[in-house]
Amino acid sequence: PCANIELPMTSTDSEAQERAPHKVRSDIPFFVGLFLLSGVYLFLIVAMILANSAYTSVDIFARTLASPEIRYAIKLSLITCSVTTILSLWVATALGYCMSRFEFRGKSFLDSVLDIPIVLPPLVIGLSLLILFRSGPGIWFEDYFVAITGYRITYAIPGVILAQFMVACAFAVRTMRATFDEIPARCEHVALTLGCSRSQAFWSVSLPEARRGLLVAATLAWARSLGEFGPILIFAGATRMKTEVMPTSVFLQMSIGDIE
């Protein structure tokens, strides 16, 4: 009868099983899957670049750059993108710092509001700006802006900057908030105990530590502004030698069939 009784496993037996060699599965399928998934996307990017290069020619490219309209669009794009980036960094640094360091009522709601320019279709952002400045309280602000500067906002260069800013700043805010989240708040607390004010601790401790995040936010804001099309088309228009930037130049050339 004792032959069917299972004896409890001792610690020596369990250690022997742990030391027993086990078969390791090959990682080849894993790496093949990684390279296949990554390679498909990279292949599409390279294929698009090669297709564009084969579709046009050096002569057409030189003729395009010789066009006064295209040169104006390039110049306006570089200027407006730079101005938009500077404005976005100022706002994104302040908002990102507040969202990272302070807890207050309605913070989750404000966090959702900051996502609106990201999730909304670009055309809707441009349309919303047009409604605000044509039939909303923005009318009074535009009249005041015209009285001071002599320039309008809608269908003018300030409208290009504002349309770029509405989208680019949202990406910069997300970047700066993540940057300040990674900086320990203890550094600021130590500065406060040593006699610094909150502003001194920010300028002397937090902001220097966030320099890499500032560079990333500036790059994202500038690149996003450079490629913005929908809000600019609706809110600022695509007038030659006036509000034409590089994305709208592509649209105008396509509208007359000049794809090359």
Side-chain angles (χ1 to χ4, degrees):
C2 296
N4 296 327
I5 299 177
E6 296 182 358
L7 298 177
M9 184 179 296
T10 62
S11 60
T12 305
D13 297 333
S14 62
E15 292 176 359
Q17 288 186 0
E18 291 178 358
R19 291 195 299 268
H22 60 280
K23 186 178 180 181
V24 180
R25 299 179 61 182
S26 175
D27 287 331
I28 293 178
F30 173 73
F31 287 111
V32 170
L34 286 181
F35 286 121
L36 284 178
L37 293 175
S38 305
V40 169
Y41 185 63
L42 292 174
F43 172 78
L44 288 175
I45 295 177
V46 175
M48 287 192 304
I49 296 174
L50 294 177
N52 290 341
S53 302
Y55 191 78
T56 186
S57 64
V58 178
D59 294 336
I60 297 177
F61 186 72
R63 186 189 67 191
T64 302
L65 290 180
S67 172
E69 292 84 3
I70 300 300
R71 289 204 303 268
Y72 177 85
I74 295 175
K75 179 181 177 181
L76 183 61
S77 293
L78 297 178
I79 294 175
T80 56
C81 288
S82 300
V83 174
T84 300
T85 301
I86 295 173
L87 295 176
S88 298
L89 283 181
W90 279 101
V91 176
T93 302
L95 265 176
Y97 183 79
C98 292
M99 296 296 292
S100 175
R101 288 292 187 262
F102 303 112
E103 296 294 333
F104 50 89
R105 183 176 298 178
K107 181 178 179 179
S108 59
F109 174 75
L110 178 60
D111 190 46
S112 301
V113 171
L114 292 174
D115 284 333
I116 290 178
I118 299 177
V119 300
L120 274 183
L123 289 175
V124 176
I125 295 177
L127 182 60
S128 301
L129 285 173
L130 189 62
I131 293 173
L132 174 65
F133 282 88
R134 285 297 185 180
S135 59
I139 296 177
W140 307 105
F141 178 79
E142 183 165 14
D143 293 339
Y144 180 74
F145 187 82
V146 172
I148 294 179
T149 64
Y151 294 97
R152 300 195 63 83
I153 297 178
T154 55
Y155 300 110
I157 293 179
V160 175
I161 297 175
L162 183 57
Q164 293 174 343
F165 171 79
M166 287 302 300
V167 181
C169 187
F171 290 91
V173 168
R174 289 299 170 201
T175 303
M176 292 308 301
R177 180 179 179 180
T179 299
F180 286 118
D181 285 340
E182 294 178 359
I183 300 174
R186 183 175 179 274
C187 299
E188 292 183 46
H189 295 160
V190 172
L192 293 176
T193 59
L194 294 176
C196 289
S197 62
R198 173 66 71 172
S199 61
Q200 289 175 330
F202 171 77
W203 290 105
S204 302
V205 178
S206 297
L207 196 60
E209 290 292 325
R211 58 186 180 274
R212 292 186 178 179
L214 284 168
L215 180 61
V216 175
T219 304
L220 284 176
W222 198 89
R224 182 67 191 187
S225 302
L226 186 66
E228 203 58 55
F229 169 70
I232 297 176
L233 181 66
I234 300 298
F235 185 59
T239 307
R240 292 281 194 187
M241 304 296 290
K242 185 178 179 182
T243 59
E244 179 186 4
V245 291
M246 286 195 285
T248 52
S249 290
V250 176
F251 171 75
L252 292 175
Q253 296 302 119
M254 286 183 59
S255 64
I256 59 175
D258 188 9
I259 302 178
E260 295 84 357

